[in-house]
Amino acid sequence: MRTIDEIEAREAEIKQLITDSANEEEVRALSAEIDDLKAEREELRKAAQAAAEEKRKAAECGETIREEITMNEERTFTAASEEYRSAWLKNLAVVEGRRMFGDLTEVEERAYTHLTSNSSAVVPTAVMNRIVELVPSFAPMYADASKSAMTQGFGVPRHTAIAAGDAAATNEGAAPTDEQDSFDLLSISGVEIKKVVKYSRKMKWQSIGAFEDWVVKHIAERIGVAKETRILAQLNDATYGIDAGNVNASATADDASIRAELAKIKGQGRKVVYANAYTIWNILAGINDGAGNKAFIPSPQADPVTQGVIYGMTVKLDDNLANKVMYAGIPGKLLANDFEALFINRAMDPKTFEDIIAGYSLFDAGLENPKSFVKVTFQ
C-alpha cells in the first residue's frame, strides 16, 4: 500500500494533468482516480488513529508497552511525535476540569512536558497539516493566492507607472531608451484572526480521533472564512485593492457587458472568476453569446469548487461572496502572508463559563497589481 506522501504526490500530478487535458473522457478517468486516492488516504489515516487508540487503551488497562529505547539515550520528542499529539488532544478535550479521554500516560506526560517546558503548547504537526490542508476549501481566493510566511517586513510592491522607456519603435541601429518603472511598496503588518469553537459536557465523541476530526474541521472552517473575509476587505480597499476603474457597481448581465468588464483585467497569468452559487447558476450560466451559444460550460470534474469555464476563465464557487457579485482576475497577483503559525488553545468563556477552543492567526493580504482584478455587481 502506498504512503500518504506518495498518494498526495500522485494527487498533485493528476490535478496538473486535468488542468492540461482537453479530453473529456481522460478528465473523468483522472477525476475518478483522485476519488480513489482520497479514499485510500482516509483509510490510512483511520488505520493510524485506530492503532494509536488501541495503544492508549492498552496503557490505561495497565498493560506494558515496550518501547525500543537505548538504555543510555533519552527519548527526544517533537511536535510530530504521536505521543505529543495524543497528549495535546487530551489536554484540549477538557470539560469542567475533567479530561474526556482520560489522564496522560507516562510517555505522553514526558512528551508534553518536553515540548512545553519553555514555551506554549505548539499544535502537533499532523493536526496542523490537516488544518492547513482544509482551510483553502473554505477560502477559494486564499487557496489560489501567492502565499508566504514572513514574520516581519511583508509588503506589496505595486507598479504605478512607466516613467520612461515604454515599448516603442526605434530606428535601425539606434539604442532603445532604458525603461524606468515607478513602484510603491505598501507595508502590511497583519491583522489578528481569532476564532472560537464552543463545546460542553453534553457533547460526546467515540474516540480521541473523532474529537481531532471535529477540532480540525471547525477551526479550519472558521480560520478559512476569516482569511477570505480579510482578502475581500483588502480587494475593496482603495489603497491595497482593485483599481477604481475596474469596479462596476451596476453591470448588465449580458454577453457584451461581461466581456467588457473581463477585458479590464491586466497582467499575465491564469485568470479565475469567483462567485457564489446564486450568481453562477442564475446569472453566468444563462449568458448567451451573439450566436445564441452558452458562454458558460459546466465542469465535468468531481470538484466542489471548480464549477466550469466562461470565456476561457475557470469559474470557482466562493460561498463567502454576496449574491450578484463577481470577482475575476489573476490570483497570482494576490499576495497573502501568514505572519505567525496557527495557535490553538483551550480556555473558558468568562461570560457563559462554557469550555472553548480558540484558534489564532496573524494574517494579511494585498493586490500586487490593482488592475489585475475586477469586481462586478450585477443589477
Side-chain angles (χ1 to χ4, degrees):
M1 183 177 284
R2 288 175 289 199
T3 65
I4 290 180
D5 288 341
E6 291 173 337
I7 291 174
E8 291 178 345
R10 177 56 181 162
E11 281 183 336
E13 181 182 345
I14 291 175
K15 288 178 180 178
Q16 185 59 49
L17 291 173
I18 289 176
T19 301
D20 297 338
S21 177
N23 187 300
E24 185 173 331
E25 291 185 4
E26 181 182 17
V27 168
R28 286 199 183 96
L30 291 170
S31 298
E33 185 178 349
I34 283 185
D35 292 338
D36 293 340
L37 289 172
K38 288 180 178 179
E40 185 177 344
R41 179 173 59 183
E42 183 64 17
E43 288 181 7
L44 287 174
R45 189 178 64 79
K46 288 182 177 179
Q49 289 180 347
E53 184 68 12
E54 289 300 320
K55 184 176 180 180
R56 181 187 68 80
K57 289 179 179 179
E60 291 181 352
C61 290
E63 297 180 18
T64 302
I65 302 175
R66 298 186 179 276
E67 301 286 349
E68 295 182 0
I69 303 177
T70 306
M71 293 298 293
N72 297 323
E73 182 181 0
E74 183 180 352
R75 175 76 182 276
T76 300
F77 297 99
T78 67
S81 300
E82 178 60 31
E83 295 84 357
Y84 175 72
R85 171 183 159 275
S86 59
W88 183 85
L89 287 167
K90 283 183 178 181
N91 282 330
L92 199 63
V94 175
V95 176
E96 298 178 352
R98 177 182 60 84
R99 287 193 178 97
M100 289 187 285
F101 299 105
D103 294 331
L104 273 60
T105 66
E106 186 271 335
V107 178
E108 290 171 342
E109 189 71 54
R110 285 196 291 118
Y112 194 81
T113 302
H114 180 80
L115 268 80
T116 61
S117 57
N118 296 316
S119 63
S120 57
V122 297
V123 181
T125 303
V127 177
M128 176 67 83
N129 289 343
R130 290 185 61 197
I131 292 175
V132 169
E133 180 180 350
L134 194 57
V135 162
S137 65
F138 301 104
M141 285 192 190
Y142 173 71
D144 292 342
S146 295
K147 291 181 278 293
S148 57
M150 298 175 62
T151 57
Q152 59 184 356
F154 176 66
V156 177
R158 295 180 58 146
H159 183 262
T160 57
I162 300 177
D166 198 359
T170 59
N171 295 326
E172 183 177 353
T177 304
D178 291 337
E179 182 172 319
Q180 297 177 20
D181 295 312
S182 299
F183 287 90
D184 283 341
L185 181 62
L186 303 180
S187 179
I188 296 179
S189 57
V191 294
E192 293 184 330
I193 293 176
K194 301 173 183 177
K195 291 298 171 180
V196 169
V197 178
K198 295 185 178 181
Y199 63 101
S200 68
R201 62 182 178 180
K202 294 181 180 179
M203 301 175 71
K204 303 291 184 183
W205 290 272
Q206 292 182 345
S207 67
I208 197 169
F211 174 72
E212 179 186 357
D213 291 343
W214 181 82
V215 171
V216 166
K217 179 181 183 300
H218 285 75
I219 292 294
E221 180 176 1
R222 284 158 173 75
I223 293 294
V225 170
K227 286 185 174 182
E228 189 89 340
T229 300
R230 177 58 181 174
I231 286 175
L232 291 172
Q234 291 293 78
L235 286 178
N236 294 327
D237 186 272
T239 302
Y240 297 98
I242 300 172
D243 183 85
N246 282 27
V247 178
N248 188 337
S250 183
T252 304
D254 59 39
D255 173 64
S257 298
I258 293 178
R259 285 191 289 106
E261 295 302 323
L262 296 178
K264 296 177 182 177
I265 300 172
K266 304 299 181 184
Q268 299 297 317
R270 179 176 62 99
K271 298 179 177 65
V272 179
V273 173
Y274 302 92
N276 69 9
Y278 177 93
T279 306
I280 292 173
W281 300 110
N282 288 286
I283 296 179
L284 300 183
I287 301 300
N288 295 320
D289 63 18
N293 300 312
K294 291 292 184 183
F296 177 81
I297 304 173
S299 172
Q301 301 178 30
D303 184 344
V305 177
T306 301
Q307 303 295 291
V309 177
I310 189 167
Y311 305 118
M313 299 183 188
T314 302
V315 177
K316 291 195 174 184
L317 175 65
D318 193 334
D319 290 327
N320 301 293
L321 301 182
N323 291 348
K324 299 185 178 182
V325 174
M326 176 188 81
Y327 287 83
I330 305 170
K333 300 299 182 181
L334 179 59
L335 308 185
N337 187 71
D338 287 290
F339 292 86
E340 291 185 17
L342 177 64
F343 176 74
I344 299 175
N345 197 14
R346 183 186 63 82
M348 179 176 285
D349 190 319
K351 295 181 180 179
T352 64
F353 295 99
E354 291 179 296
D355 289 281
I356 61 176
I357 296 174
Y360 172 89
S361 176
L362 188 61
F363 169 82
D364 220 328
L367 195 58
E368 184 177 18
N369 178 356
K371 294 183 182 293
S372 62
F373 260 79
V374 297
K375 178 185 179 182
V376 180
T377 302
F378 295 103
Q379 298 177 3

